[in-house]
């Protein structure tokens, strides 16, 4: 049964050409917003907290600060409204899921930038 699900996902789900990113990276996600008849592009820039799932059901969570309030958003990788993803900074973290980042404030909330190879 599981192999049948994987087969259907591989055959029928369109794969988008997205850059490599992981937890700790600062990325900008451009996605479409539909308001009645109008369609506009909006972006969400923040730090990736996690990537979870695999295949068609993979998602990633981004956190940004809006004033003094933290805002998190979960995006599916295969969201049709997703236009593109830009990697702004590659962060150096030791974990795949950086939920501890939610409690950090001020200078402690900075992530070191990974060296480029």
């Amino acid at each position: 049964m599981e192999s049948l699900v994987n087969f259907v996902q591989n055959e029928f789900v369109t794969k988008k050409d997205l850059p490599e990113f992981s937890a700790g990276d600062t990325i900008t996600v451009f996605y479409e917003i539909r308001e009645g008849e109008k369609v506009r592009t909006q972006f969400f820039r923040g730090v990736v907290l996690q990537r979870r799932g695999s295949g068609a059901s993979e998602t990633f969570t981004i956190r940004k600060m809006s004033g003094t309030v933290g805002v998190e958003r979960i995006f599916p990788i295969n969201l049709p409204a997703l236009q593109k993803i830009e990697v702004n900074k590659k962060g150096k973290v030791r974990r795949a899921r950086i939920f501890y980042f939610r409690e950090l404030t001020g200078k402690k909330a900075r992530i070191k930038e990974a060296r480029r190879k």
Side-chain angles (χ1 to χ4, degrees):
M1 187 64 185
E2 198 170 301
S3 62
L4 180 64
V5 171
N6 290 337
F7 172 75
V8 170
Q9 285 180 353
N10 292 337
E11 290 295 317
F12 299 111
V13 175
T14 58
K15 290 189 172 66
K16 296 190 176 185
D17 193 27
L18 300 176
E20 281 293 317
F21 63 93
S22 60
D25 295 352
T26 302
I27 65 173
T28 306
V29 178
F30 294 88
Y31 59 99
E32 288 181 355
I33 299 276
R34 295 189 189 278
E35 295 173 333
E37 296 295 315
K38 286 197 305 184
V39 178
R40 63 184 177 86
T41 301
Q42 188 170 347
F43 68 91
F44 193 91
R45 182 175 188 202
V47 176
V48 179
L49 292 185
Q50 70 171 344
R51 281 184 79 158
R52 78 179 317 161
S54 63
S57 62
E58 186 177 357
T59 61
F60 59 97
T61 305
I62 302 179
R63 179 180 178 86
K64 75 171 184 178
M65 293 301 291
S66 180
T68 58
V69 179
V71 179
E72 289 185 15
R73 175 117 194 223
I74 300 171
F75 289 98
I77 288 282
N78 292 314
L79 183 69
L82 199 68
Q83 290 180 340
K84 67 177 179 175
I85 295 176
E86 290 179 355
V87 179
N88 303 104
K89 283 196 285 187
K90 297 291 273 181
K92 181 183 175 190
V93 293
R94 294 183 177 187
R95 305 200 177 279
R97 298 190 172 151
I98 55 171
F99 297 135
Y100 66 87
F101 191 68
R102 293 173 176 155
E103 279 77 47
L104 301 180
T105 58
K107 287 188 175 181
K108 291 180 180 178
R110 291 186 297 188
I111 295 177
K112 285 187 180 175
E113 194 164 352
R115 283 209 250 156
R116 307 212 174 189
K117 292 180 181 177

